[in-house]
Amino acid sequence: MPAVLKAPLVVEFPFTRSLGPVQSAFLTGLRERVVLGVRTRDGRTLVPPVEYDPVTAEEIGDRGGLVEVAPTGTVTTWAWNPEPRRGQPLRTPFAWVLVRLDGADTALLHALDAPGPEAVHTGMRVRVRWAEERTGAITDLACFEPYDGDPAEPAGHTGEFADPVTGIVAPARLDYVYSPGRAQSAYIHALSGRRTVGERCPSCHKVYVPPRGACPTCGIATSEQVEVGPRGTVTTYCIVNIKAAHTANLDIEVPYVYAHIALDGAGLALHGRIGGIPYDQVRMGLRVEPVWTEGGRYPDHYRPTGEPDAEYDTYKELL
């Protein structure tokens, strides 16, 4: 049996968001070495500030206001992080801490730079360590550090800034190792030999391509391999009019057609790009065959075979 495959994968995209007046003031304040909270109608000061009272759900803007709190505070709880990951605040082991800044009634989550877990305890005093370069982001607060001095006195900043931050771009990234499992590993190995292999359900006899290792309808494990295709029928399709950005392996001029294709002998349609025909001539029932590139491990696209179109009744159950 061929080895089960696995590969590291990364999903990454920049997340752009605009800021309302409260978050704008908070992040602009960090850029200027000012920590702002918001005061609720009953006198609580929330840090980080929010636009709605988490207790009453009332909008805070008209009944409260932005207030500066001190850059010193007290650890309310913590957890040690022995192996920092990419993108975390510090590269050396550190503690995640909730810190109630002096003048605040809620705690702010951030990193504490400490030599080891024995140096951290609930109730310890800390202060903000500011980043050398600040742009108006939570990372302007580089981390907290232990502090044994007197509480700092805020200057009373009102949250009014000449050049407020109005939006941020936060990179979102997920690193993981994907394993397709036994059934799909066999499918991928077969593709490298320009063969398409599915698995048949022993109960309903439907052939699943790509195989899943079990029939999703009957809930029964599948193991009987069945070679299907290589030809098939377009069951449905869409016309793509927006060019894929930053996708090196899909540098295709638009418009182009992406379709569901029921390979001969398969009980499930798979998807693939249609080429070799004008996009506005692709249709349901079109008979197609795979086109392989030199060294390719899967079909680059499917093209018309020249056969008559398939009758609707032959593929209607596969739409």
Side-chain angles (χ1 to χ4, degrees):
M1 172 164 308
V4 174
L5 302 174
K6 64 178 181 179
L9 293 180
V10 176
V11 178
E12 184 176 20
F13 61 92
F15 177 70
T16 303
R17 60 162 291 185
S18 58
L19 302 173
V22 173
Q23 294 302 314
S24 172
F26 175 65
L27 295 181
T28 306
L30 296 184
R31 187 188 67 192
E32 306 301 326
R33 295 191 177 191
V34 173
V35 183
L36 294 172
V38 67
R39 183 163 292 153
T40 64
R41 184 168 61 174
D42 61 6
R44 290 171 295 128
T45 299
L46 312 181
V47 179
V50 293
E51 297 177 355
Y52 296 89
D53 190 319
V55 176
T56 65
E58 292 180 316
E59 186 173 4
I60 295 176
D62 294 336
R63 297 184 175 88
L66 291 165
V67 292
E68 184 182 358
V69 298
T72 55
T74 303
V75 172
T76 62
T77 189
W78 62 279
W80 187 251
N81 181 11
E83 297 182 4
R85 299 191 175 193
R86 179 195 54 79
Q88 290 188 335
L90 299 173
R91 295 184 179 180
T92 55
F94 64 90
W96 287 112
V97 288
L98 282 172
V99 175
R100 186 172 60 246
L101 294 172
D102 297 328
D105 294 291
T106 56
L108 174 69
L109 174 67
H110 216 297
L112 170 66
D113 188 5
E118 68 282 350
V120 186
H121 61 272
T122 298
M124 72 180 294
R125 295 286 293 167
V126 295
R127 68 178 176 185
V128 169
R129 179 191 297 168
W130 297 104
E132 293 185 5
E133 296 184 7
R134 298 176 304 282
T135 60
I138 190 62
T139 49
D140 292 350
L141 197 166
C143 64
F144 287 103
E145 58 188 14
Y147 177 68
D148 58 5
D150 295 329
E153 291 293 333
H157 203 290
T158 62
E160 295 291 332
F161 298 96
D163 183 24
V165 177
T166 58
I168 58 173
V169 178
R173 174 168 171 151
L174 173 65
D175 296 74
Y176 64 102
V177 175
Y178 172 71
S179 176
R182 175 201 59 79
Q184 290 199 19
S185 290
Y187 168 76
I188 294 171
H189 280 298
L191 281 180
S192 66
R194 299 194 175 187
R195 298 166 49 244
T196 304
V197 173
E199 288 188 352
R200 190 194 313 274
C201 173
S203 177
C204 67
H205 307 295
K206 188 175 288 187
V207 176
Y208 289 96
V209 181
R212 306 176 180 184
C215 175
T217 302
C218 304
I220 299 175
T222 59
S223 59
E224 179 190 354
Q225 293 189 346
V226 179
E227 185 169 349
V228 298
R231 296 184 171 188
T233 301
V234 172
T235 63
T236 188
Y237 64 93
C238 69
I239 298 173
V240 180
N241 289 290
I242 300 176
K243 189 175 180 64
H246 309 297
T247 309
N249 64 343
L250 199 59
D251 187 18
I252 303 168
E253 292 301 319
V254 295
Y256 63 88
V257 173
Y258 220 62
H260 273 173
I261 303 164
L263 296 180
D264 296 343
L268 190 72
L270 50 74
H271 54 77
R273 184 171 63 89
I274 305 298
I277 182 175
Y279 74 92
D280 56 358
Q281 293 183 22
V282 176
R283 56 200 178 273
M284 295 171 66
L286 180 69
R287 293 285 294 165
V288 293
E289 62 186 2
V291 176
W292 302 80
T293 58
E294 185 66 30
R297 291 181 57 89
Y298 51 86
D300 177 74
H301 64 276
Y302 289 79
R303 67 186 177 195
T305 64
E307 300 172 272
D309 289 359
E311 295 291 336
Y312 177 72
D313 286 345
T314 65
Y315 63 85
K316 65 180 181 180
E317 299 298 329
L318 300 177
L319 292 177

